Structure formats: structure tokens, C-alpha cells
Amino acid sequence: MKPELTAAFNEQITREFSSSYQYLAMAAWLEARSFPGMAHWMRLQSEEEWAHGMKFYQFVLDRSQVVELGPIPAPDVDFDSPLAVFARSLAAEEAVTAAINDLYALATELRDYASLPLLDWFVNEQVEEEATVSQVIDDLERAEGEGHALLMLDRELGARVGGAG
Ligand code: MG
């Protein structure tokens, strides 16, 4: 594996763990404002991002390269509303999608075809991530100002099962 590509994979490991940390901060914000279902959803999302980081981590090792973890920035902790939390989440997923696309382009340019099955998995995963968060945003927009609808949505998001995908 070319050093340039290893460095890019290592950056992606840090990005996924940063994302996990950001989702945990969102969970904490929601817990504090008594949205236990949305907080549960964010905790599972945090676990899923951790698992993504570990997928890249293992791949770097499997390719006989050295894992180098970078610093994780402090997460955003101030939000105006649950809608603002999920909007921040969508922006973060779009940034991750762009990063995965850049990795894909680099791996292709360097003819590192062994990276492509893993990156294909992530390309598909990002389509799903963005679709899921967009749906929650639509639901939150519809529920705006209606306590009952917001409560129902919190219950629904609280029923999410599984995490690490
Ligand atoms: Mg991810």
C-alpha cells in the first residue's frame, strides 16, 4: 500500500472516531432535555461510527501497514433544538461521504484495487446513513411545535435496535 493511501486511511479512522464522539455529544444533549428515544438513537449511531473506525483500523493492519491515530476535536455541544441536532448530523454525514469518495478516487488513481471492496461497502453505507437522517429531519419538521408528535417521534426513535453495522 502506498504511504499516501495509508495516510488517507489513517485520517479516515480518526474521522470515524470523531464522528462517534460527536454523536455521543448529541446523545448527551438530548438526554439532558429529556428526549430519551432520540438519545438512544444517537448512542447507537455513536457505536456504529466506532465500528466504522474499527473496520478501517483492521483494514490498515490487514494490509500490513501501521495504524496512526490523530487527535479528536472537541464536539459541538450547543444546539437549538432536536431538529438542529439532526441537521448537524446530516451535515456531518455529507462530509463523511465526501471523504469516502476522495478515498475511493485516490485508491483508484493509485490502482490499489484491494481497497475497493471495503470502500464500496462504505459508499453504500453512506447512502443509507444520509437517507435515514434525512427521514428523521422530515419527521421533525412535520412535528415542529406539536408536543404530541414530537413525543411519538421520540418513542419511535427509541425503538431502534442494533448499532454496529
Ligand atoms: Mg461512518
Side-chain angles (χ1 to χ4, degrees):
M1 204 167 172
K2 299 236 168 66
E4 191 185 354
L5 189 60
T6 303
F9 270 102
N10 274 321
E11 278 172 30
Q12 189 61 30
I13 294 171
T14 302
R15 202 173 282 118
E16 298 287 350
F17 288 146
S18 300
S19 181
S20 174
Y21 201 49
Q22 178 62 68
Y23 278 119
L24 194 59
M26 290 170 173
W29 189 93
L30 291 159
E31 312 266 16
R33 279 142 193 97
S34 200
F35 291 106
M38 293 182 202
H40 166 79
W41 192 96
M42 285 294 171
R43 283 187 190 216
L44 290 182
Q45 194 68 19
S46 177
E47 284 178 19
E48 196 173 294
E49 298 308 331
W50 182 270
H52 290 170
M54 290 310 297
K55 257 183 195 284
F56 281 115
Y57 180 106
Q58 191 59 49
F59 183 73
V60 169
L61 292 182
D62 288 346
R63 297 291 303 278
S64 305
Q65 304 301 309
V66 177
V67 168
E68 287 178 21
L69 301 178
I72 293 179
D76 291 346
V77 294
D78 282 327
F79 305 98
D80 292 335
S81 61
L83 177 58
V85 172
F86 279 88
R88 172 72 181 75
S89 164
L90 181 60
E93 288 304 332
E94 285 169 350
V96 169
T97 298
I100 300 283
N101 288 344
D102 287 348
L103 258 180
Y104 204 107
L106 184 63
T108 306
E109 183 195 320
L110 297 175
R111 302 174 62 123
D112 194 291
Y113 301 122
S115 294
L116 298 188
L118 177 76
L119 293 174
D120 275 328
W121 186 89
F122 275 100
V123 166
N124 289 323
E125 174 68 11
Q126 285 311 114
V127 170
E128 197 189 305
E129 296 276 35
E130 288 189 29
T132 305
V133 177
S134 294
Q135 183 62 57
V136 177
I137 289 173
D138 287 348
D139 292 346
L140 278 168
E141 282 172 346
R142 274 195 287 265
E144 207 177 6
E146 292 182 48
H148 186 68
L150 203 55
L151 180 66
M152 295 301 288
L153 187 55
D154 190 64
R155 295 264 160 86
E156 187 190 316
L157 292 172
R160 176 178 173 179
V161 288

